[in-house]
Amino acid sequence: MDCCVIPLRHGGLSLVQTTDFFYPLVEDPYMMGRIACANVLSDLYAMGITECDNMLMLLSVSQKMNDKDRERVMPLIIQGFRDAAEEGGTSVTGGQTVINPWIIVGGVASVVCQPNEFIMPDGAVPGDVLVLTKPLGTQVAVNAHQWLDQTERWNKIKLVVTKEEVKEAYQEAMFSMATLNRTGLMHKFQAHAATDVTGFGLLGHANNLAAQQRDEVAFVIHNLPIIAKMAAISKACGNLFNLIQGTSAETSGGLLVCLPREQAAKFCSEMKSQSSAAGGQGAAGGAWIIGIVEKGDRRARIIDKPRIIEVPARGSQTANQENNSASPSPNLS
């Protein structure tokens, strides 16, 4: 499970709690703080929880940093973390800071809940639909951006992508990772189970979720929404990322949600409306139907030739064109 759920001694309440941390992956310290906070809170949101009572921040300052760099960088990371927490309706009340060879940033999120406030991730049934709420490809985008200054690596991908497209994808990945997965729609549309997609990649987390289901079900993934051009980069790099195979790591990725079939399209539509109001997840925004739940052996798989949904970066010419036209309803074809 993404969180621990601990029954308390008082009044049928439970403590729901999670912790996470990782190393910097973007160049902007403020955005790194926001991404770290969003990543911690995402575990609560994957349980259908929308409120967080308290956060702690875990911060490791690199011993390799000089005083000037430390005084510039670390306050920006802290401010980004605090601002994201405030956006999520909570606050950072403490934590721990240490000296370490590497910068590490993360935290703890806690909430006391009544049983009707969280959704246990074990109720998927045959006939459900799988929905993903953020595009894939963040690891590829971040690495490709780093390769802009590395001639040997850039030469491997320059035939399938331009430098401008890499910069746009990097910005999209950064803003996507910093976007909170906070939504009340899992309750509104009777979600049966969910998890967030992070370090194990889409297929890894789908397998973990499938294994936890009470019913004997399997997840079959047909569609892969991916930040524009990242699928082509992944293919050009051979087995380095395995994005299409579903094992490319994501950071602060979207929610993978099991929904009743009759609710999935409405869930996606409302997620898109919320996303557009908040600045959007690329042009398509919001959520994509990516697969189905069928009777099976509590495993997940991606079909041999999944449909790749290219998600243009916000602000790109393609995104602006799509935002000015009607978008088709998500489907499984």
Side-chain angles (χ1 to χ4, degrees):
M1 285 174 34
D2 292 301
C3 302
C4 60
V5 179
I6 305 168
L8 300 178
R9 296 187 300 266
H10 313 289
L13 299 174
S14 294
L15 171 66
V16 183
Q17 194 169 57
T18 184
T19 184
D20 207 345
F21 65 86
F22 51 79
Y23 309 102
L25 70 163
V26 298
E27 297 170 355
D28 185 327
Y30 176 80
M31 291 301 292
M32 190 62 243
R34 290 195 69 105
I35 291 168
C37 184
N39 192 60
V40 174
L41 286 170
S42 188
D43 288 334
L44 293 185
Y45 300 150
M47 299 279 292
I49 291 167
T50 58
E51 305 299 328
C52 175
D53 290 332
N54 183 61
M55 291 196 77
L56 304 175
M57 186 175 186
L58 305 174
L59 189 63
S60 165
V61 182
S62 174
Q63 61 193 23
K64 299 176 184 177
M65 299 178 76
N66 59 43
D67 290 346
K68 182 180 179 181
D69 287 345
R70 184 170 63 247
E71 290 169 4
R72 289 179 61 195
V73 170
M74 305 317 290
L76 288 171
I77 292 177
I78 294 169
Q79 189 61 52
F81 195 98
R82 284 178 170 170
D83 286 353
E86 184 176 341
E87 181 184 332
T90 188
S91 58
V92 182
T93 61
Q96 178 74 305
T97 303
V98 298
I99 302 292
N100 203 48
W102 316 278
I103 294 176
I104 297 174
V105 57
V108 180
S110 307
V111 61
V112 175
C113 289
Q114 295 179 343
N116 64 350
E117 293 181 84
F118 58 86
I119 299 170
M120 293 299 288
D122 60 1
V125 297
D128 279 355
V129 169
L130 301 173
V131 170
L132 184 65
T133 66
K134 286 183 183 180
L136 305 167
T138 55
Q139 182 191 41
V140 181
V142 167
N143 278 269
H145 190 258
Q146 293 172 351
W147 295 350
L148 291 175
D149 299 322
Q150 301 175 28
T151 303
E152 184 178 345
R153 290 183 178 272
W154 173 249
N155 286 340
K156 291 182 179 180
I157 64 173
K158 68 180 183 181
L159 295 180
V160 299
V161 68
T162 67
K163 290 188 175 183
E164 185 60 31
E165 287 169 337
V166 168
K167 292 175 182 177
E168 288 177 348
Y170 172 75
Q171 290 294 319
E172 177 61 36
M174 183 167 62
F175 284 107
S176 177
M177 291 186 289
T179 299
L180 300 183
N181 280 325
R182 188 185 191 195
T183 175
L185 298 181
M186 284 176 57
H187 287 276
K188 181 176 180 179
F189 293 109
Q190 293 95 49
H192 290 153
T195 188
D196 61 331
V197 178
T198 51
F200 295 121
L202 174 63
L203 185 59
H205 288 283
N207 264 314
N208 288 344
L209 186 61
Q212 298 303 316
Q213 301 312 302
R214 295 192 304 268
D215 286 2
E216 293 183 351
V217 297
F219 297 168
V220 184
I221 297 169
H222 302 85
N223 300 329
L224 298 176
I226 296 174
I227 298 170
K229 298 293 183 176
M230 297 306 101
I233 292 176
S234 180
K235 289 178 182 177
C237 293
N239 296 323
L240 183 60
F241 297 111
N242 288 325
L243 179 59
I244 308 305
Q245 291 75 26
T247 57
S248 180
E250 304 291 334
T251 297
S252 190
L255 300 180
L256 176 62
V257 189
C258 301
L259 288 157
R261 178 174 290 274
E262 64 274 13
Q263 303 285 11
K266 291 181 284 186
F267 176 93
C268 291
S269 178
E270 289 210 24
M271 282 293 295
K272 180 172 182 177
S273 297
Q274 290 184 1
S275 176
S276 298
Q281 306 273 342
W288 297 264
I289 292 175
I290 66 165
I292 59 172
V293 178
E294 62 184 22
K295 188 172 177 60
D297 57 358
R298 295 190 178 93
R299 295 183 184 178
R301 66 180 178 89
I302 298 174
I303 63 171
D304 288 341
K305 294 182 179 180
R307 174 188 172 213
I308 306 301
I309 303 170
E310 293 270 327
V311 181
R314 70 195 77 198
S316 67
Q317 184 176 358
T318 305
N320 292 334
Q321 289 172 348
E322 291 195 12
N323 280 330
N324 290 328
S325 63
S327 298
S329 298
N331 58 67
L332 293 177
S333 60

